[in-house]
Amino acid sequence: MLGIITFIVVFLIIVVVHEFGHFYFAKRAGILVREFSVGMGPKIFAHIGKDGTAYTVRILPLGGYVRLAGWGDDETEIKTGQPVSLTVNADGLVTRINLSERQLDMDSIPMNVTSFDLEDQLEIKGLVLGQEKVYPVFHDATIVEEDGTEVRIAPQDVQYQNASVWGKFMTNFAGPMNNFILGIATFILLIFMMGGSPDVSTNQVTVAENGALQAAGVQTGDRIRKVNDVAVSSYREIQEEISKQTQNATSAPAIKLLVEQDGQEKEITVTAKKEGKSFFVGVSPYLKTGIWDKIVGGFQMAGDRSLAIFNALKNIIFHFDIRQLGGPVAIYSASNQAASQGILTIISLLGLLSINLGIVNLLPIPALDGGKIVFNLIEAIRRKPLSKEVEMYITVAGAIFMIVLMIVVTWNDIMRVFF
């Protein structure tokens, strides 16, 4: 159960932070955000703010989304002949169009729609008590969709397509950008909770409680000068030499160390302790504890994780193997393991997944943010956007590719994790 809760919380935070980036910069660009949803599926709460955005909470706590006017597949469908009810103000303008049978407006006008234009002409036409009538629609009118969700209509002037190229670029880039910000902030928090920033450039070490080194009398702050007569000047070199002795060991290896303690050097022999299927001596990098060191350490940790993700992507591109990819099932498995190892591991996973989502979303694949950014760059170069039809075909092709890939990856995850 703890693993499931960890998965939900981590996934929810990452996705909502990502979508908030789109939300914030869309509003700055003059694009109407029709809905900001936390969760997926049927809604359990909705409120229309003064900014015209419908803020909703939905029953499945798996991520969230934003609906931007004219962005992606955002569309409210009204069929010819469909019965609706109209709320009309004192000036004769329609302020609410109700398509839902779940919400009845006692003072509304019933109509069977014959045509409508809620983007340019802002009017709706249909049969009212057998007579055809045309009603002008208020620019900020709302529409109650068939599932009961009430959102603003999307006139042309507040649609995504009407924003500047820079506004559209930032709207698309802001989601991944927020994931990078979250990842960096998370790793800075992790460094503070750990008590300091690991310094792998020195041979000064931190000794684990109840580990083999502590049992041999080594203390935190001591320096390891040699490992099996090999001189070492950094933690990376210490780790490399110890790994040579423990990596393929079948029994507890004895490792000879030259340790400097309180200015005095002494030779000791440490017998590694077995934990699970591996052997450890109980050593980790020395921690730099200054506030600035911790902040810089958080940035460095985020940079190291980013570099590892880029290297993994490079391997996937040049040596493609579907088994290298992971989806929601793999994330759940990682969350389950992190939950069993404590809060520090959970926070580390949150930062890693956030940066991973940011990087992956910037890939120039249609249907991802990176694909939309490519469209923005093409528009900036051509000084006019691609036609809606061309952009739609490319985006649909990208979406189909992503769906097929996700199905394959999920199946691969299930076979890997559960079988």
Side-chain angles (χ1 to χ4, degrees):
M1 178 59 72
L2 184 58
I4 295 174
I5 294 173
T6 300
F7 168 71
I8 290 173
V9 171
V10 167
F11 197 72
L12 191 66
I13 290 173
I14 291 172
V15 175
V16 169
V17 167
H18 177 98
E19 297 300 333
F20 182 79
H22 294 313
F23 166 83
Y24 178 80
F25 279 93
K27 291 174 69 66
R28 293 288 300 269
I31 303 168
L32 171 65
V33 182
R34 302 184 73 194
E35 181 183 0
F36 187 114
S37 174
V38 176
M40 309 291 282
K43 68 179 176 62
I44 55 179
F45 170 81
H47 169 72
I48 296 184
K50 293 181 180 179
D51 56 358
T53 299
Y55 297 92
T56 59
V57 177
R58 296 181 178 269
I59 197 168
L60 298 176
L62 298 176
Y65 60 87
V66 291
R67 286 177 60 184
L68 307 185
W71 194 45
D73 59 354
D74 174 65
E75 185 178 352
T76 301
E77 184 179 5
I78 302 178
K79 303 180 181 68
T80 301
Q82 181 173 357
V84 303
S85 60
L86 309 178
T87 301
V88 181
N89 65 14
D91 297 324
L93 295 174
V94 174
T95 58
R96 192 170 191 248
I97 303 170
N98 191 349
L99 309 181
S100 174
E101 297 179 357
R102 303 179 186 182
Q103 299 184 29
L104 299 178
D105 302 323
M106 302 306 296
D107 298 327
S108 61
I109 300 172
M111 170 186 278
N112 287 89
V113 178
T114 56
S115 66
F116 66 96
D117 183 349
L118 303 180
E119 294 186 355
D120 297 309
Q121 299 299 320
L122 297 184
E123 63 178 27
I124 186 166
K125 182 187 297 185
L127 297 176
V128 178
L129 300 177
Q131 293 184 341
E132 188 170 72
K133 291 193 174 183
V134 180
Y135 287 93
V137 179
F138 181 50
H139 182 277
D140 296 339
T142 62
I143 183 165
V144 182
E145 299 176 320
E146 292 185 15
D147 68 350
T149 302
E150 185 171 4
V151 294
R152 279 261 303 272
I153 64 171
Q156 195 70 43
D157 63 305
V158 294
Q159 289 194 12
Y160 171 81
Q161 292 80 4
N162 194 59
S164 66
V165 175
W166 176 248
K168 287 186 278 192
F169 174 86
M170 282 307 303
T171 297
N172 291 319
F173 179 69
M177 180 184 72
N178 265 22
N179 284 129
F180 298 141
I181 293 171
L182 173 62
I184 292 169
T186 299
F187 284 122
I188 290 175
L189 173 63
L190 179 64
I191 293 292
F192 272 86
M193 293 181 69
M194 289 169 53
S197 173
D199 185 1
V200 296
S201 65
T202 177
N203 57 10
Q204 208 168 1
V205 297
T206 298
V207 176
E209 291 288 334
N210 303 317
L213 273 184
Q214 188 183 61
V218 183
Q219 301 173 4
T220 294
D222 291 352
R223 294 181 182 273
I224 296 178
R225 295 293 187 182
K226 291 183 180 180
V227 178
N228 284 344
D229 296 325
V230 177
V232 291
S233 59
S234 70
Y235 179 78
R236 288 191 179 93
E237 293 176 353
I238 295 170
Q239 190 178 37
E240 182 180 344
E241 292 302 321
I242 291 177
S243 179
K244 289 178 182 178
Q245 307 300 316
T246 60
Q247 195 168 30
N248 298 313
T250 55
S251 59
I255 303 171
K256 187 169 69 172
L257 304 175
L258 177 65
V259 178
E260 179 185 329
Q261 188 176 81
D262 297 327
Q264 301 294 318
E265 291 185 350
K266 62 179 180 179
E267 281 193 354
I268 62 172
T269 299
V270 177
T271 302
K273 287 187 176 181
K274 188 172 185 179
E275 295 181 24
K277 297 181 180 180
S278 302
F279 292 94
F280 300 93
V281 298
V283 65
S284 59
Y286 191 69
L287 299 180
K288 295 184 286 186
T289 57
I291 292 179
W292 182 246
D293 290 326
K294 292 176 182 177
I295 293 173
V296 171
F299 276 90
Q300 289 175 337
M301 188 174 287
D304 290 341
R305 301 301 188 273
S306 299
L307 184 60
I309 294 168
F310 278 119
N311 287 332
L313 283 173
K314 183 181 69 175
N315 290 334
I316 290 171
I317 292 170
F318 293 104
H319 308 283
F320 184 76
D321 185 349
I322 193 68
R323 289 172 296 182
Q324 298 180 63
L325 300 177
V329 176
I331 295 174
Y332 165 73
S333 178
S335 301
N336 201 33
Q337 293 179 18
S340 66
Q341 295 174 21
I343 187 64
L344 293 181
T345 308
I346 294 173
I347 292 174
S348 179
L349 177 67
L350 172 63
L352 177 64
L353 291 178
S354 186
I355 290 176
N356 185 76
L357 180 64
I359 292 174
V360 169
N361 257 283
L362 285 179
L363 294 177
I365 299 173
L368 295 181
D369 294 326
K372 297 184 179 75
I373 289 172
V374 171
F375 290 147
N376 301 148
L377 296 177
I378 292 173
E379 179 180 350
I381 294 170
R382 297 175 72 236
R383 297 186 180 277
K384 64 178 181 178
L386 294 172
S387 68
K388 281 188 176 182
E389 291 76 13
V390 171
E391 190 170 327
M392 180 186 70
Y393 290 141
I394 296 174
T395 301
V396 168
I400 292 172
F401 170 76
M402 292 302 298
I403 291 171
V404 172
L405 182 63
M406 183 57 67
I407 292 172
V408 174
V409 167
T410 301
W411 175 254
N412 181 65
D413 284 348
I414 292 172
M415 297 302 293
R416 179 171 53 194
V417 174
F418 298 107
F419 298 97

